[in-house]
Amino acid sequence: MDSYPAVEAHGLIGDLQTAALVTTDGTTDWFCAPRFDSPSVFGGLLDRYRGGYCRVSPVGDNYVAKQLYLPGTPILITRFMSEDGVGELVDFMPLAGDQPTDRHRLVRMLRMVRGTMRFRADCRPRFNYGRDPHDLETHPGGIVFRSPTISLTLSHVHYPDRLADQPDIRRSEDGVCLFATLHEGDAGGVVLETATRPDPPRPVTAGEVEDMLVRTRDHWRGWLARSRYSGRWREMVERSAMTLKLMTYAPTGALIAAPTVGLPERIGGERNWDYRYTWIRDASFSMRALLGLGFVDEAARYMYWVRDRIRDAGRDGQPLEVMYAVDGAPVPAERSLDHLEGYRGSAPVRVGNGAAKQLQLDVFGEALTALHIADRRGLHHGDQTWASAVRLVDWLCDNWDQPEDGIWETRGGRQDFTYGRMMCWVALDRAVQLAHGRRHPVDLSRWTRVRDRIYHQVMRRGFHPGRQAFVQHYATDVLDASLLVMPAAGFVSPTDPLWRSTLLAVEAELVSDSLVYRYDPSAAPDGLPDDEGTFTMCTFWYVQALAEAGRLEDARLTFEKMLTYASPLGLYSEEIAPTGAQTGNFPQALSHLSLISTATLLDRLVDTPPVTIPGHGAGPSGSPSWED
């Protein structure tokens, strides 16, 4: 690869077990197999020399490229436009099914719309993050790249009477290039397939490729038709929903945080993490977003996965872990891939995640909220799940009042984080409601006493009189954007004077032209060097906080501004740099989950006339919460 494309210059395709990124110049520079969290086959995103890639593009650079998705699908179309003609590259992955498999296909169809152009297909895989060697085998029907652990087969797409000349195949030591001149109406392409024991490659017929395309298209459009969202931001909400579906592991229903690893929060910095796992924290946000859109089956499958983690933890008498692999296994220990230079020189590249073993007490609140939302929407839990949940809540009653690592997974030492304490209150509050609603046998009086103790502690120690704001932890005066969710969680009223002053303080210190920083690392050292960009999820939380406080005009303008920072394909990474560039792993689930929740909240509040609250001015009718 000649250079590193911008993060936002990528489209996402996938088969519901793994995914690939494709740049605007037709390069697949990220693809792992057989699972999201498997080692990379194409990893040029993290090292343009050693990572590997597959590029399909016109020869030379005298063209302009644009990307779009086939409407209602994640089928990616890259259009190459020049004075000589217009060609289109269609990239997609046929669905892999609900059973784990090592066979995953990337279909790359090339068709000439008008004129004549010469194209080049360059395939250079680098297995196991570029660490494993491979043999290259040439067959009449294509090429096999064979490594010790997994192989990649490249098969030609055979279009009789539609390809002006047969491809000119040139083999190098570790890769292959195909050249072909296409005239108007011509078509060609390749199908890449992974397997541990590959079949000999054979020419793939045009009929087979067209059938895969139609079936993939019809599946996604049929799935999207189940959405019941019809609000003002339908295009963005539906694209977010499809992006989240692409990041869902079909065999278990688990949603990963992002399909990438090592994309930096700041170019050249060290905040580079592996997000290809499932965070318990995402459960409540996912349940609210998926059920709000009408995707009950997806919500149920994800809830079953969360239920199993609750059962495992309750059975073992241990707290919930922060994250798990998509099959529920522990997340691998964190290690650095020192042979990779990192995206634009941002090293180290880390795989695995050391935060998995941190103590983050807020995950109990998110897990119990997910159970509560599911129960309210008819996804009831059984006695085993409830018994495990009771053991977790009892553990929390004994262990809530201790320093922890916090929602932001800091590595600068444990603190009494206000958000974590508030979410412990949420866990007890939702557990009490579940017990009341289902008449389950528990020590309800104890749960209620502990819940109330937590509330009084947060109000007494989490609010800083000098700052007139709730602060990051009890021993600081630093503000933290995670506390923007306090009204949504039901902990404070959006019209409470303490909350209104907190919102004003956050606006003054953490908001920059509508974008929101998580906190100030220079004022609250987190054990890591470097600064970071604004946090996309926190910006959407800020919009919700404005709306809940009755400031709908401000909320709508901020939301519309935020939509301008999306990639050309409507995707969001974790953060946004001061230049407006996307940074961090891409695309990021929490960014899209919060977009969906914010859009649905705004639709509801805009359609509901505000009420006048004496002494407080206009505010929304009713108090929105995470469960709405």
Side-chain angles (χ1 to χ4, degrees):
M1 293 170 56
D2 298 328
S3 62
Y4 290 101
V7 170
E8 61 268 25
H10 288 85
L12 179 72
I13 60 175
D15 65 3
L16 305 187
Q17 292 193 23
T18 187
L21 293 181
V22 182
T23 70
T24 52
D25 70 353
T27 301
T28 301
D29 61 1
W30 185 252
F31 171 59
C32 299
R35 253 174 30 177
F36 292 111
D37 55 348
S38 299
S40 61
V41 176
F42 299 130
L45 186 64
L46 299 179
D47 194 311
R48 59 178 176 163
Y49 303 109
R50 304 178 186 88
Y53 63 92
C54 178
R55 179 176 179 178
V56 179
S57 64
V59 173
D61 56 7
N62 190 26
Y63 63 89
V64 174
K66 301 284 186 180
Q67 282 185 320
L68 72 154
Y69 280 116
L70 185 68
T73 79
I75 297 171
L76 185 64
I77 303 173
T78 304
R79 289 169 51 81
F80 302 109
M81 295 167 282
S82 72
E83 293 184 357
D84 297 324
V86 175
E88 289 184 345
L89 173 66
V90 180
D91 283 300
F92 67 97
M93 296 181 67
L95 300 181
D98 292 337
Q99 297 300 316
T101 179
D102 60 337
R103 293 184 176 269
H104 301 275
R105 290 172 293 177
L106 287 83
V107 180
R108 316 206 71 189
M109 299 170 53
L110 190 60
R111 55 197 181 195
M112 200 64 203
V113 178
R114 65 170 174 82
T116 299
M117 298 176 71
R118 186 161 176 79
F119 286 88
R120 166 178 178 161
D122 191 0
C123 187
R124 300 178 184 275
R126 298 289 186 273
F127 298 93
N128 191 16
Y129 306 113
R131 293 180 297 188
D132 285 355
H134 65 267
D135 295 325
L136 193 157
E137 303 171 1
T138 302
H139 297 261
I143 307 293
V144 176
F145 303 90
R146 194 182 302 273
S147 84
T149 54
I150 196 168
S151 297
L152 179 73
T153 298
L154 184 154
S155 299
H156 313 142
V157 179
H158 181 56
Y159 284 88
D161 304 325
R162 291 190 63 190
L163 188 58
D165 59 356
Q166 291 302 311
D168 173 17
I169 302 176
R170 304 177 189 178
R171 172 177 168 173
S172 63
E173 182 178 350
D174 55 6
V176 64
C177 287
L178 292 79
F179 293 87
T181 299
L182 272 66
H183 306 282
E184 183 172 331
D186 288 344
V190 295
V191 175
L192 305 173
E193 183 174 17
T194 63
T196 53
R197 296 180 179 178
D199 299 324
R202 61 172 180 81
V204 181
T205 67
E208 289 178 279
V209 171
E210 292 295 337
D211 181 62
M212 287 189 280
L213 177 65
V214 169
R215 292 175 63 174
T216 303
R217 179 200 66 192
D218 291 350
H219 170 86
W220 282 101
R221 287 181 175 171
W223 178 83
L224 192 60
R226 291 161 45 201
S227 171
R228 64 186 187 196
Y229 180 81
S230 58
R232 295 166 177 81
W233 298 282
R234 183 171 178 177
E235 184 176 352
M236 291 298 294
V237 167
E238 289 185 345
R239 181 53 55 193
S240 290
M242 280 187 281
T243 302
L244 293 169
K245 180 68 172 176
L246 282 172
M247 293 190 286
T248 300
Y249 184 63
T252 64
L255 172 68
I256 60 170
T260 58
V261 51
L263 288 180
E265 297 175 15
R266 187 180 71 82
I267 301 301
E270 296 184 18
R271 298 171 184 258
N272 319 318
W273 314 111
D274 189 348
Y275 276 15
R276 300 171 299 165
Y277 307 108
T278 301
W279 268 249
I280 290 293
R281 179 176 298 111
D282 296 1
S284 62
F285 303 110
S286 301
M287 292 297 294
R288 184 163 57 121
L290 293 172
L291 288 172
L293 295 181
F295 294 115
V296 178
D297 291 344
E298 284 72 18
R301 295 212 64 206
Y302 192 17
M303 194 64 242
Y304 296 153
W305 185 90
V306 174
R307 175 203 64 190
D308 290 343
R309 306 291 79 72
I310 291 174
R311 285 184 180 179
D312 293 343
R315 182 180 59 247
D316 298 337
Q318 298 295 321
L320 282 169
E321 294 195 1
V322 175
M323 69 190 85
Y324 298 84
V326 290
D327 60 356
V331 170
E334 186 173 294
R335 65 190 190 280
S336 296
L337 302 179
D338 295 329
H339 65 288
L340 298 178
E341 72 169 10
Y343 177 78
R344 296 188 178 178
S346 303
V349 174
R350 299 181 177 93
V351 294
N353 199 307
K357 298 301 181 183
Q358 287 186 345
L359 177 64
Q360 298 178 24
L361 293 174
D362 68 281
V363 300
F364 290 89
E366 280 101 10
L368 268 297
T369 296
L371 278 179
H372 190 236
I373 293 172
D375 190 72
R376 287 184 55 185
R377 302 295 181 90
L379 301 176
H380 302 306
H381 49 265
D383 289 339
Q384 284 185 318
T385 301
W386 177 247
S388 297
V390 168
R391 286 191 286 270
L392 285 179
V393 175
D394 287 340
W395 183 95
L396 188 62
C397 286
D398 294 330
N399 293 277
W400 67 271
D401 196 9
Q402 62 174 308
E404 42 123 2
D405 295 293
I407 180 177
W408 304 131
E409 302 177 350
T410 60
R411 303 194 177 194
R414 292 181 173 180
Q415 299 287 349
D416 295 307
F417 286 105
T418 305
Y419 179 83
R421 287 294 198 280
M422 179 196 72
M423 292 305 295
C424 289
W425 177 89
V426 168
L428 270 297
D429 181 70
R430 303 314 190 258
V432 168
Q433 292 185 51
L434 281 167
H436 274 305
R438 303 296 300 277
R439 293 179 173 82
H440 293 305
V442 297
D443 190 348
L444 201 56
S445 62
R446 184 193 185 209
W447 287 8
T448 304
R449 287 195 309 271
V450 173
R451 180 195 65 184
D452 295 347
R453 282 181 59 199
I454 297 172
Y455 176 83
H456 291 303
Q457 185 192 88
V458 171
M459 298 300 290
R460 185 179 72 255
R461 300 180 63 190
F463 189 84
H464 194 286
R467 297 301 306 270
Q468 282 296 293
F470 289 97
V471 290
Q472 185 179 66
H473 60 79
Y474 295 167
T476 188
D477 62 356
V478 171
L479 301 177
D480 193 303
S482 65
L483 300 175
L484 287 168
V485 304
M486 294 181 84
F491 188 83
V492 296
S493 165
T495 59
D496 188 311
L498 298 183
W499 169 247
R500 285 180 173 267
S501 63
T502 298
L503 181 57
L504 291 174
V506 169
E507 285 184 300
E509 189 165 307
L510 298 182
V511 179
S512 175
D513 187 29
S514 79
L515 301 176
V516 182
Y517 291 93
R518 292 189 293 182
Y519 54 89
D520 181 359
S522 64
D526 54 14
L528 296 165
D530 311 321
D531 294 327
E532 61 180 12
T534 57
F535 211 75
T536 298
M537 175 180 68
C538 292
T539 301
F540 287 124
W541 284 357
Y542 172 54
V543 174
Q544 294 181 37
L546 290 173
E548 289 167 334
R551 296 169 55 184
L552 278 178
E553 285 298 320
D554 292 338
R556 288 191 67 176
L557 178 59
T558 302
F559 186 66
E560 293 289 355
K561 283 184 177 182
M562 189 60 195
L563 297 184
T564 68
Y565 289 98
S567 79
L569 294 171
L571 306 181
Y572 287 92
S573 64
E574 184 176 40
E575 299 185 13
I576 296 172
T579 61
Q582 306 239 14
T583 60
N585 284 309
F586 177 87
Q588 220 261 5
L590 279 177
S591 298
H592 288 276
L593 288 166
S594 55
L595 183 153
I596 292 170
S597 298
T598 303
T600 54
L601 173 67
L602 285 178
D603 278 321
R604 179 157 50 86
L605 294 184
V606 170
D607 293 338
T608 304
V611 297
T612 300
I613 303 174
H616 296 286
S621 60
S623 178
S625 73
W626 273 344
E627 277 102 53
D628 292 332

